[in-house]
Amino acid sequence: MDIEELRTFVEVADAGGVSPAARRLGVSKSIVSRRLARLEADLGVQLLARTTRGAALTEAGTTFRDYAARVCAEIDNAKEVILPAGELRGRLRIAAPLTFGPTHLAPVIADMGRRHPRLEIYTCYADRFVDLISEGYDCAIRVGFLPDSNLLARRVGPIRGSVVASPSYIRAHGAPETPGAILAHEALTQVNESWNFMDGDKRITIRPQGRFRADNGTALVSAAVAGVGIACLPDGVIEAHVRAGELVRIMTHYPLPEAGIFVIRPPGQHPSRKIRVLTEMLIECFGSMSHEGA
């Protein structure tokens, strides 16, 4: 067996089928199938049971998958160690938020690509929750507050937000002055969104109500500018509209708690050098942001 067979098996196991694994690897389905067949022939056991929905791990496959993943990780680490100083190569798959990501994170990722011309980078920008392990990502950059999970996180910078409304909305409906008053207003939200405010050392959580929802903050900015309702958004995506007078910060006596920008990776012994370099570049960019510079 060779490393490509092991890597292919891990991708199929994690993706749940030959077709999605082939897309991740950038090869044809026939190549994936041949590699799997050679690996199973070498081992003398069936690792995957083909189904109409894809491929499911056999008992032997479940056991072997973790060993194969560790071998692939060790080989990758060994390759990085012997590379010329500073050089990166191979693949790096990143999940990043659609809100904030293309405007603030993409320039850092692009700079990483410029500095390391032998590194292949793929970034998925989406505000949905991306399952790093099952979808085959090396890491994610997430903004906000992190739920408990078995993933490993490194904070690379602060993120601050504000509640905003357009001047036309404020003229027509007024502006809430306390967190509880928000419930009487049209709120622009993502699904099941909570808004948190600080009253001194006390945190207040509100479940806002409204008829306009979207799956990313950029769409909510447009709705807020149009006067549809009030929105709670990162300063980085509203700052230009505030400067232009299209949005006004409200509820300033109840600031939002400071959130963070995080690099998230699956659990493992050590992060790869690719992830460490990305993390260091993000810290360099965002780690010392001032209060106004979200």
Side-chain angles (χ1 to χ4, degrees):
M1 70 184 74
D2 63 25
I3 187 64
E4 289 305 319
E5 292 171 5
L6 293 176
R7 200 182 304 278
T8 299
F9 165 66
V10 172
E11 291 285 1
V12 173
D14 291 349
V18 170
S19 295
R23 287 193 295 271
R24 289 185 188 180
L25 293 166
V27 299
S28 67
K29 291 189 292 184
S30 61
I31 290 176
V32 171
S33 296
R34 284 198 296 271
R35 289 176 181 172
L36 291 175
R38 287 197 299 267
L39 180 60
E40 288 179 328
D42 286 343
L43 294 171
V45 296
Q46 184 179 3
L47 300 173
L48 293 153
R50 280 63 168 179
T51 68
T52 55
R53 289 187 167 185
L57 289 170
T58 63
E59 184 176 352
T62 300
T63 301
F64 188 68
R65 185 261 168 216
D66 291 339
Y67 287 100
R70 284 198 292 272
V71 169
C72 292
E74 289 298 326
I75 292 293
D76 289 341
N77 288 337
K79 286 180 178 178
E80 289 183 345
V81 167
I82 64 173
L83 284 174
E87 183 179 337
L88 297 177
R89 65 182 177 188
R91 292 183 304 149
L92 178 62
R93 289 171 54 88
I94 308 166
L98 179 59
T99 303
F100 193 80
T103 52
H104 291 71
L105 303 175
V108 179
I109 297 170
D111 190 34
M112 186 178 184
R114 180 189 62 80
R115 295 187 194 183
H116 302 282
R118 299 182 68 183
L119 180 64
E120 178 186 342
I121 302 175
Y122 170 74
T123 308
C124 170
Y125 292 97
D127 280 340
R128 68 177 178 85
F129 179 83
V130 174
D131 188 321
L132 299 187
I133 297 173
S134 66
E135 298 186 49
Y137 286 90
D138 298 294
C139 66
I141 306 169
R142 291 184 180 158
V143 174
F145 300 95
L146 293 184
D148 292 336
S149 75
N150 66 339
L151 300 175
L152 302 178
R154 173 76 185 276
R155 190 178 191 271
V156 297
I159 187 78
R160 300 174 181 89
S162 303
V163 180
V164 292
S166 70
S168 63
Y169 180 90
I170 295 171
R171 285 194 298 269
H173 306 284
E177 296 184 359
T178 64
I182 289 173
L183 299 177
H185 285 262
E186 283 287 341
L188 311 172
T189 64
Q190 300 191 44
V191 178
N192 297 323
E193 185 176 331
S194 296
W195 293 359
N196 293 289
F197 300 90
M198 299 304 297
D199 183 3
D201 294 331
K202 179 183 177 183
R203 183 187 292 251
I204 302 172
T205 300
I206 297 295
R207 287 274 187 182
Q209 303 297 316
R211 62 184 177 83
F212 191 99
R213 295 181 179 86
D215 65 356
N216 72 85
T218 304
L220 298 181
V221 171
S222 297
V225 169
V228 178
I230 63 175
C232 180
L233 294 163
D235 287 348
V237 301
I238 62 170
E239 197 61 53
H241 300 282
V242 172
R243 288 197 299 268
E246 298 171 325
L247 292 174
V248 176
R249 286 186 172 90
I250 58 177
M251 297 278 299
T252 55
H253 294 299
Y254 294 89
L256 277 60
E258 183 180 277
I261 307 169
F262 300 88
V263 174
I264 311 295
R265 63 181 176 86
Q269 213 169 16
H270 301 288
S272 70
R273 188 149 66 96
K274 294 186 283 286
I275 296 176
R276 292 200 304 272
V277 168
L278 174 63
T279 301
E280 290 162 4
M281 292 180 66
L282 290 168
I283 290 173
E284 182 180 348
C285 181
F286 297 108
S288 59
M289 290 192 301
S290 69
H291 183 75
E292 292 79 19

